[in-house]
Amino acid sequence: MSNPMDMALEAAEAAAGRGEVPVGAVVLGPDGRVLAVAGNEVEARHDPTAHAEILAIRAAAQQLGSPRLEGCEIIVTLEPCPMCATAISFARVRRLEFAAYDAKGGGVEHGARVFTQPTCHHRPEIVGGVQAEKAEALLKQFFATLRDPKS
Amino acid sequence: MSNPMDMALEAAEAAAGRGEVPVGAVVLGPDGRVLAVAGNEVEARHDPTAHAEILAIRAAAQQLGSPRLEGCEIIVTLEPCPMCATAISFARVRRLEFAAYDAKGGGVEHGARVFTQPTCHHRPEIVGGVQAEKAEALLKQFFATLRDPKS
């Protein structure tokens, strides 16, 4: 089986193929089992909240029958935005691993830095920069194609 | 017809009746028409992202067939958390009106102050404190009952 970040990268690549910003996410249960895999579906679902992380968290919570993903991990191809970082905190995810850092839109190491706020009641373990080159290449290619659709 | 904040307060009260934290939200279209009304459904849906604002934004976006709620307003009974504030920004909501301020969990005037971040690309007009007493009374009553279920 692929490692979870490879699965997240595959979901990101599939998202790009649908014209969505290429971001993918995987949620693992406390036992390491894959509970959910999702790619960005903002355009397809007409839903501004349909980031990969939100979709994966919602699907995993359905699997567990609880809004709390105690002991779970989330693996994402891009530093989560403040919306997704807050959802990760509400879901009490144990560990967050992400690939590319996002200086423009991230909310973990940039901008709102959600988990460092005194009003944040749950902070996961955080590992950033895992297989970052692959995630960055996908994003660069996607935005280059948007700017010049002929290329 | 009730004013939109009264509708949001009714949705909050209904949420309390289902054992959910009493928060309600209404989205109005550019023409002032009600596009969506929602109360918190985190427990019922087993979904940590099912805050009233997220549900109302998703429903309104479905109505409009677009992830962007250009020209729309959102009326909420409580200061949005960072997750919901970021969703409001992504959805390009024109105006945010909320009732009670939330020093512990809010992300607009407290904590992450999402809309003041340089990485926030859309900031709505914001009016806080509208009919705040009613929203605060609902929340106080709910949490008092949680602490002492016999009362």
Side-chain angles (χ1 to χ4, degrees), chain A residues 87-118:
Chain A
I88 288 166
S89 176
F90 287 153
R92 302 188 196 165
V93 171
R94 182 181 65 76
R95 184 174 179 275
L96 160 65
E97 178 178 306
F98 65 86
Y101 286 88
D102 185 2
K104 285 187 186 166
V108 177
E109 305 292 344
H110 299 90
R113 290 179 170 77
V114 163
F115 300 119
T116 68
Q117 299 295 339

Coordinates of all heavy atoms in Angstrom, one line a residue, chain A residues 87-118:
Chain A
A87 N -10.9 23.4 12.1 CA -11.7 22.1 12.1 C -10.8 21.0 12.6 O -11.4 20.1 13.4 CB -12.1 21.8 10.6
I88 N -9.6 21.0 12.3 CA -8.6 19.9 12.9 C -8.6 20.0 14.4 O -8.6 19.0 15.1 CB -7.2 20.1 12.3 CG1 -7.3 19.6 10.8 CG2 -6.2 19.3 13.1 CD1 -6.1 20.0 10.0
S89 N -8.6 21.2 14.9 CA -8.6 21.4 16.4 C -9.9 21.0 17.0 O -9.9 20.2 18.0 CB -8.4 22.9 16.7 OG -8.4 23.1 18.1
F90 N -11.1 21.4 16.4 CA -12.4 21.0 16.9 C -12.5 19.4 16.9 O -13.1 18.9 17.8 CB -13.5 21.5 16.0 CG -13.7 23.0 16.2 CD1 -14.3 23.8 15.2 CD2 -13.4 23.7 17.4 CE1 -14.5 25.1 15.3 CE2 -13.7 25.0 17.6 CZ -14.2 25.7 16.5
A91 N -11.9 18.8 15.9 CA -12.1 17.3 15.7 C -11.1 16.6 16.7 O -11.1 15.4 16.8 CB -11.8 16.9 14.3
R92 N -10.2 17.4 17.4 CA -9.3 16.8 18.3 C -8.3 15.8 17.6 O -8.0 14.7 18.2 CB -10.0 16.2 19.5 CG -10.8 17.2 20.2 CD -11.4 16.7 21.5 NE -12.5 17.6 21.9 CZ -13.4 17.3 22.9 NH1 -13.4 16.1 23.5 NH2 -14.3 18.1 23.2
V93 N -8.0 16.1 16.4 CA -7.0 15.2 15.7 C -5.7 15.2 16.4 O -5.2 16.2 16.9 CB -6.9 15.7 14.2 CG1 -5.7 15.0 13.5 CG2 -8.2 15.6 13.5
R94 N -5.1 14.0 16.6 CA -3.9 13.9 17.4 C -2.7 14.4 16.7 O -1.8 14.9 17.4 CB -3.7 12.4 17.7 CG -2.5 12.1 18.6 CD -2.3 10.6 18.8 NE -2.0 9.8 17.6 CZ -0.8 9.8 17.0 NH1 0.2 10.5 17.5 NH2 -0.6 9.1 15.9
R95 N -2.6 14.3 15.4 CA -1.3 14.6 14.7 C -1.7 15.1 13.3 O -2.6 14.6 12.6 CB -0.5 13.3 14.5 CG 0.9 13.6 13.9 CD 1.7 12.3 14.0 NE 3.0 12.5 13.3 CZ 3.2 12.3 12.0 NH1 2.3 12.0 11.2 NH2 4.4 12.6 11.5
L96 N -1.0 16.2 12.9 CA -1.2 16.8 11.6 C 0.2 16.7 10.9 O 1.2 17.2 11.4 CB -1.6 18.3 11.7 CG -1.3 19.2 10.5 CD1 -2.2 18.8 9.3 CD2 -1.6 20.6 10.9
E97 N 0.2 16.1 9.7 CA 1.4 16.1 8.8 C 1.0 16.8 7.5 O 0.0 16.5 6.9 CB 1.8 14.6 8.6 CG 3.0 14.5 7.7 CD 3.3 13.0 7.5 OE1 3.5 12.3 8.5 OE2 3.4 12.5 6.4
F98 N 1.8 17.8 7.1 CA 1.5 18.4 5.8 C 2.8 18.5 5.0 O 3.9 18.4 5.5 CB 0.8 19.7 6.0 CG 1.6 20.8 6.6 CD1 2.4 21.6 5.9 CD2 1.4 21.0 8.0 CE1 3.1 22.7 6.5 CE2 2.1 22.1 8.6 CZ 3.0 22.9 7.9
A99 N 2.6 18.6 3.7 CA 3.7 18.7 2.7 C 4.2 20.1 2.5 O 5.0 20.6 3.3 CB 3.3 18.0 1.4
A100 N 3.6 20.9 1.6 CA 4.1 22.2 1.2 C 3.7 23.2 2.3 O 2.6 23.2 2.8 CB 3.6 22.6 -0.1
Y101 N 4.6 24.2 2.6 CA 4.2 25.3 3.4 C 3.4 26.3 2.5 O 3.7 26.3 1.3 CB 5.4 26.0 4.0 CG 6.0 25.2 5.1 CD1 6.9 24.2 4.9 CD2 5.6 25.4 6.5 CE1 7.5 23.4 5.9 CE2 6.1 24.7 7.5 CZ 7.1 23.7 7.2 OH 7.6 22.9 8.3
D102 N 2.5 27.1 3.1 CA 1.7 28.0 2.3 C 1.7 29.4 2.9 O 0.9 29.8 3.8 CB 0.2 27.5 2.2 CG -0.6 28.4 1.3 OD1 -0.1 29.3 0.7 OD2 -1.8 28.1 1.2
A103 N 2.7 30.2 2.5 CA 2.9 31.6 3.1 C 1.7 32.5 2.8 O 1.4 33.4 3.5 CB 4.2 32.2 2.5
K104 N 1.0 32.2 1.6 CA -0.1 33.1 1.3 C -1.4 32.7 1.9 O -2.2 33.6 2.2 CB -0.3 33.0 -0.3 CG 0.8 33.8 -1.0 CD 0.4 33.9 -2.5 CE 1.6 34.5 -3.3 NZ 1.4 34.3 -4.7
G105 N -1.7 31.4 2.1 CA -3.0 31.1 2.6 C -3.0 30.2 3.8 O -4.1 29.9 4.4
G106 N -1.8 29.8 4.3 CA -1.8 28.8 5.4 C -2.2 29.5 6.7 O -2.0 30.7 6.9
G107 N -2.7 28.7 7.7 CA -3.1 29.2 9.0 C -2.5 28.4 10.1 O -2.9 28.5 11.2
V108 N -1.4 27.7 9.8 CA -0.7 26.9 10.8 C 0.6 27.6 11.2 O 0.8 28.1 12.3 CB -0.5 25.5 10.4 CG1 0.3 24.7 11.4 CG2 -1.8 24.8 10.1
E109 N 1.5 27.8 10.2 CA 2.8 28.4 10.4 C 2.8 29.9 9.9 O 3.8 30.6 10.0 CB 3.9 27.7 9.7 CG 4.0 26.2 10.1 CD 4.4 26.0 11.6 OE1 4.9 26.9 12.2 OE2 4.2 24.8 12.1
H110 N 1.7 30.3 9.3 CA 1.5 31.6 8.7 C 0.2 32.2 9.1 O -0.7 31.5 9.7 CB 1.6 31.5 7.2 CG 2.9 31.0 6.7 ND1 3.1 29.6 6.5 CD2 4.1 31.6 6.4 CE1 4.3 29.5 6.0 NE2 5.0 30.6 6.0
G111 N 0.0 33.5 8.8 CA -1.3 34.2 9.0 C -1.8 34.0 10.4 O -1.2 34.4 11.4
A112 N -3.0 33.5 10.5 CA -3.7 33.4 11.8 C -3.1 32.5 12.8 O -3.4 32.5 14.0 CB -5.2 32.9 11.6
R113 N -2.1 31.6 12.4 CA -1.5 30.6 13.3 C -2.4 30.1 14.3 O -2.2 30.3 15.6 CB -0.3 31.3 13.9 CG 0.9 31.6 13.0 CD 2.1 32.3 13.7 NE 3.2 32.4 12.8 CZ 3.4 33.2 11.8 NH1 2.4 34.1 11.5 NH2 4.5 33.2 11.0
V114 N -3.4 29.4 13.8 CA -4.6 29.0 14.7 C -4.2 28.3 15.9 O -4.7 28.6 17.0 CB -5.5 28.2 13.8 CG1 -6.5 27.4 14.6 CG2 -6.3 29.0 12.8
F115 N -3.3 27.4 15.8 CA -3.0 26.5 17.0 C -2.2 27.2 18.1 O -2.0 26.7 19.2 CB -2.2 25.2 16.5 CG -3.0 24.4 15.6 CD1 -2.5 24.2 14.3 CD2 -4.2 23.8 15.9 CE1 -3.1 23.4 13.4 CE2 -4.9 23.1 15.0 CZ -4.4 22.8 13.7
T116 N -1.6 28.4 17.8 CA -0.9 29.1 18.8 C -1.8 30.1 19.5 O -1.3 30.8 20.5 CB 0.3 30.0 18.1 OG1 -0.3 31.0 17.4 CG2 1.1 29.1 17.2
Q117 N -3.0 30.3 19.1 CA -3.9 31.2 19.8 C -4.3 30.7 21.2 O -4.6 29.5 21.4 CB -5.2 31.4 19.0 CG -5.0 31.9 17.6 CD -4.5 33.4 17.6 OE1 -4.6 34.1 18.6 NE2 -3.8 33.7 16.5
P118 N -4.3 31.6 22.2 CA -4.8 31.2 23.5 C -6.2 30.6 23.5 O -6.6 29.9 24.4 CB -4.7 32.4 24.4 CG -4.3 33.6 23.5 CD -4.0 33.0 22.1

